[in-house]
Amino acid sequence: ACQDWAHTKGAYRFFSNDRVNEADIMVGHFAATRERMAATEDLAFILHDTTEFTFKREDQSAIGLTKSVNSGRDKAGRIRSHAVCGILMHSSLVLTREGLPLGLAAVKFWTREKFKGTAALKRKINPTRVPIEQKESVRWLDNLRQSTELLGDPSRCVHIGDRESDIYELFCVAQEMGTHFLIRTCVDRLAGDGGHTIATEMKEVKVAGLHRIEIRNGQGEPDEVILELKYRKLTVLPPIGKQKRYPPLILTVIHAEEKGSPKNREKIKWKLITDLAVRSRRDAIEKLQWYALRWKIEVFHKILKSGCKAEDAKLRTAQRLANLIAIFCLISWRIFWLTMANRTAPAEPPRCALTKLEISLLDHIV
């Protein structure tokens, strides 16, 4: 990309400069994201997710570790494991209702220092009793705060996350900031007066209607699925160890379960929790469609890894790689935006997305 050694050396110096960091690289993009959202009047959907970048290095200490993986068994039959070299990135992508990405609103990079003893520690300490500030999952709260403050219109923001984001403290932060959330749940929380759980209460709820969707099975073939919809507004309680610190919340739970038993694939079963109003079958379907937008952030991460080939980078330290990936984030968003802009408004003239010079260069190449 740099064409000659002089410019390549300049790029290396830029990435290794101690005065350069990913926050400064992204700050202009964040401001532009805010401006693009301000130019719209509809809701903005902020998708949150974590992805991992893996690198092969002889010296792993300069970058850091992400996880421990099974390496098989040694000659004595003992299980071996090794630590993976890499960095993690938690990003927050802003989308319109039509799926057009307006840009990133927050990005966080980090590595993990150690893994030994973590499994044994979990057996001794209940993770729900550990303050969120001392856990890695605080990144979900940090990005929710940063993205909400950046966009400046909390009531128009709907934060969407997968089961990893099912964190009670996140629900409370969203309420404090006056913003909204739509989360896929993995925890069967206490509900009502504390004598039963959400699952127990939802079993009593009658099916409110059916919803027909089209999916692709494991072989990529189209398949039609009928979902049974349930929803109920209820009181959700914090974990027992945190009930003195966090209040009960009035939230709505939505269950969408596939009717019948499919062959050759897992049964579709979505359980969502939200502070948004759900008063009808139509509202429930709308929330399912909003949650389905979450896949867009997976596409963004795919562009980073497959398109920009971020994991092929040879830079030697975590800070240099973070600087490079920050630039790749801008490129990946731009590619994603161009793709979705073409799908949502194919008849628009090219000048709405490209400069006069870019258009002339593309015409010349053709």
Side-chain angles (χ1 to χ4, degrees), residues 28-309:
H29 174 76
F30 291 156
T33 299
R34 181 178 62 242
E35 291 174 5
R36 283 186 285 269
M37 179 186 160
T40 68
E41 297 180 354
D42 199 1
L43 293 173
F45 300 92
I46 300 95
L47 316 181
H48 303 270
D49 198 21
T50 302
T51 192
E52 177 184 326
F53 298 92
T54 301
F55 305 97
K56 293 182 179 179
R57 298 287 192 276
E58 290 185 7
D59 179 15
Q60 298 181 340
S61 61
I63 294 177
L65 309 172
T66 57
K67 62 185 176 183
S68 181
V69 297
N70 191 335
S71 303
R73 296 181 180 272
D74 60 17
K75 293 180 180 179
R78 294 170 298 192
I79 297 176
R80 298 179 301 176
S81 64
H82 70 275
V84 176
C85 176
I87 60 177
L88 297 123
M89 181 184 80
H90 189 68
S91 52
S92 303
L93 182 69
V94 185
L95 258 72
T96 65
R97 189 186 297 264
E98 293 75 27
L100 184 68
L102 300 178
L104 291 160
V107 172
K108 185 181 182 71
F109 293 94
W110 79 100
T111 59
R112 296 179 177 127
E113 294 182 355
K114 55 188 176 181
F115 307 98
K116 290 182 179 180
T118 53
L121 187 64
K122 286 181 180 178
R123 288 194 291 268
K124 294 179 181 179
I125 301 174
N126 186 340
T128 63
R129 296 180 183 272
V130 178
I132 189 71
E133 295 81 8
Q134 298 176 20
K135 298 162 72 174
E136 192 177 281
S137 52
V138 73
R139 68 187 186 276
W140 293 91
L141 279 64
D142 292 341
N143 272 34
L144 184 143
R145 288 191 184 98
Q146 181 180 329
S147 55
T148 304
E149 290 171 357
L150 173 81
L151 298 173
D153 197 345
S155 62
R156 283 177 57 202
C157 296
V158 179
H159 297 268
I160 298 176
D162 62 7
R163 283 175 283 198
E164 194 180 356
S165 64
D166 185 8
I167 304 167
Y168 197 87
E169 291 89 338
L170 183 140
F171 306 161
C172 294
V173 169
Q175 188 179 64
E176 290 169 9
M177 300 192 73
T179 191
H180 304 291
F181 60 87
L182 179 60
I183 303 295
R184 189 174 180 186
T185 65
C186 67
V187 181
D188 187 17
R189 301 187 182 281
L190 293 173
D193 59 3
H196 63 276
T197 65
I198 292 174
T200 304
E201 191 160 340
M202 291 303 292
K203 283 181 181 178
E204 301 172 357
V205 179
K206 294 181 179 180
V207 174
L210 304 177
H211 179 47
R212 194 184 305 271
I213 61 171
E214 289 187 359
I215 65 165
R216 291 190 179 274
N217 60 25
Q219 289 72 43
E221 301 167 341
D223 193 8
E224 193 174 74
V225 172
I226 297 176
L227 300 176
E228 294 181 332
L229 302 179
K230 293 181 177 181
Y231 59 88
R232 173 172 283 187
K233 189 175 183 179
L234 43 78
T235 301
V236 180
L237 304 179
I240 292 175
K242 297 182 179 180
Q243 289 186 356
K244 292 182 179 179
R245 185 174 179 186
Y246 299 103
L249 298 173
I250 306 298
L251 304 174
T252 299
V253 174
I254 305 169
H255 283 188
E257 185 172 342
E258 183 176 354
K259 195 175 182 180
S261 299
K263 297 179 180 178
N264 303 321
R265 63 171 175 80
E266 290 186 10
K267 188 174 184 176
I268 294 175
K269 189 182 290 185
W270 276 9
K271 298 178 181 180
L272 307 180
I273 191 165
T274 181
D275 68 319
L276 297 161
V278 180
R279 301 185 181 92
S280 64
R281 170 182 167 274
R282 179 179 293 181
D283 288 347
I285 292 172
E286 179 185 58
K287 303 308 179 287
L288 289 175
Q289 292 170 338
W290 289 0
Y291 181 78
L293 289 171
R294 201 204 70 80
W295 186 251
K296 299 289 184 184
I297 199 166
E298 304 286 0
V299 176
F300 170 70
H301 291 156
K302 182 180 179 181
I303 298 169
L304 271 173
K305 295 179 181 181
S306 299
C308 293
K309 301 187 183 300

Side-chain angles (χ1 to χ4, degrees), residues 329-339 353-355 358:
C329 281
L330 309 183
I331 298 169
S332 298
W333 165 77
R334 184 69 176 180
I335 292 169
F336 196 10
W337 179 82
L338 279 168
T339 303
L354 303 165
T355 66
E358 288 168 338

